[in-house]
Amino acid sequence: MSTDPHKEHNFDPAILEKLGQLQEKYAAMGQDLSSYLDGLLYADYRTYWDLIHLDTLLSLQRPQTPIPDEVVFIVYHQITELYFKLALHEFERMAQAAREQNGKVEEAFLLERVRRVNRYFEALTTSFDIMVDGMEPAEFMKFRMSLLPASGFQSAQYRMIEICATSLDRIVHHNLRDQYANHSVSDVPELMAHLYWREGAVELKSGAKTLTLKQFEAKYDEELTKLALGMFHSNVRALSTKVEGGASPELVEAMRWLDINVNVNWPLAHYKSAVRYLHKDPVDIAATGGTNWQKYLPPRFQKRIFFPELWSKTELEEWGKGWVEKEVFGRG
Ligand code: HEM
């Protein structure tokens, strides 16, 4: 870098043009361009490791036991949460766009965002074998007891994705879905109390809430209700009804994939890992979160469907069927 103040510089007109623009930018805020140029002069060059906070990222893998495969378990959960974060980022962009445009979004914008979320979930589904096949069952059985009562059940981002994708009546317990189909924003707190997963995590004998659920509610209930209120008009299902001229075949296709990715393919890939590590004849191993996981996890029992209007009667009735036996237990 030259330190001679008298050195001649022949600036490219494009550079001078940019300097002019910068001067205007800073003047508009009452700021002095020259001070900002000083900042540039002394600032360090960026490095890859600072840009992505690599040291922090790689310091977050802290197993609770010395059993080697616990690292695989922890890191894959973290990878999943990062993908969930990307999905939520897209949902937030859709909601933000709607807030700025009288509650509506351009169809092309909506389509691209939904496709992005699909890509994230497809990456997660296809990589789930890292869990299913990638740990020694004997090691898993040891370290899992040190993680009690923590469970992926407590993934708040997973619950947030559901709230952003559809209206709350679609994610209450399936017996209540019709009853709440036309709910209004003032009913949100009531529906929040009946979300399907609250009824999933109760002790088998007493029906009391599991500790896993109690911990989760204490930490996240308020935040989730706030999100549900904010997303009432701007979840994907609501936004798709406000598209000019109705949803195109491409948007319908992308939304159907979103339904399959989030509500069938990922849950099945995940269920496979529960079967691999917890399925034992004649008595299955208890889940750390305490659910009756064989009845709770399979999509054909939960029948979570974000966009029922996009599926035929038969498709709705057969949701998730035919897959479980073939994909998970290897039986046709
Ligand atoms: C060996 C690997 C895994 C096993 C054996 C397993 C097992 C289970 C079981 C038994 C449940 C039911 C709740 C309970 O009682 O604990 C559950 C729920 C859940 N797990 Fe996993 N899991 C595994 C990996 C993962 C991973 C990598 C994630 C990623 C974040 C994850 C996220 C979830 C979520 C979101 C739920 C709630 C699902 C729902 O409510 O339908 N799990 N898991």
Side-chain angles (χ1 to χ4, degrees), residues 4-5 40 49 87 120 131 135 138 160 167 176 191 197 212 237 299 318 320:
D4 178 359
L40 263 186
W49 50 92
Y120 305 143
M131 287 285 91
M135 296 183 294
M160 290 174 183
S167 51
L176 301 171
L191 273 86
W197 42 265
T212 305
R237 188 176 185 211
E318 301 197 339

Side-chain angles (χ1 to χ4, degrees), residues 201-211 214 290:
V202 290
E203 282 166 15
L204 296 180
K205 284 198 192 114
S206 62
K209 288 180 185 185
T210 58
L211 177 57
K214 283 191 214 154

Side-chain angles (χ1 to χ4, degrees), residues 265-297:
N265 289 353
W266 187 86
L268 276 177
H270 170 261
Y271 180 59
K272 257 179 161 178
S273 58
V275 170
R276 155 107 161 141
Y277 296 100
L278 307 179
H279 179 58
K280 287 267 178 306
D281 277 333
V283 184
D284 282 346
I285 297 162
T288 51
T291 61
N292 181 2
W293 60 270
Q294 307 87 330
K295 289 271 173 282
Y296 177 72
L297 291 177

Side-chain angles (χ1 to χ4, degrees), residues 73 76-78 80-81 84 128 131-132 135 140 144 149-155 158-159 162 196-197 200-201 212 266-267 270 273-275 277-278 286-293 296-297 302 304:
F73 189 72
Y76 190 71
H77 276 81
Q78 292 181 332
T80 305
E81 290 291 343
F84 285 172
F128 222 109
M131 287 285 91
V132 181
M135 296 183 294
F140 178 81
R144 66 186 289 276
S151 163
F153 180 91
Q154 295 175 318
S155 166
Y158 186 78
R159 309 301 176 202
E162 296 176 325
Y196 73 89
W197 42 265
T212 305
W266 187 86
H270 170 261
S273 58
V275 170
Y277 296 100
L278 307 179
T288 51
T291 61
N292 181 2
W293 60 270
Y296 177 72
L297 291 177
Q302 288 281 358
R304 290 189 315 248

Side-chain angles (χ1 to χ4, degrees), residues 22 58 66 77 79 82 94 109 126 131 135 148 159 173 176 185 205 244 252 277 319-320:
L22 278 173
L58 298 182
H77 276 81
I79 290 168
L82 288 176
M94 296 179 222
F109 185 82
T126 51
M131 287 285 91
M135 296 183 294
L148 284 166
R159 309 301 176 202
H173 190 271
L176 301 171
V185 72
K205 284 198 192 114
E244 295 284 334
V252 169
Y277 296 100
W319 193 257

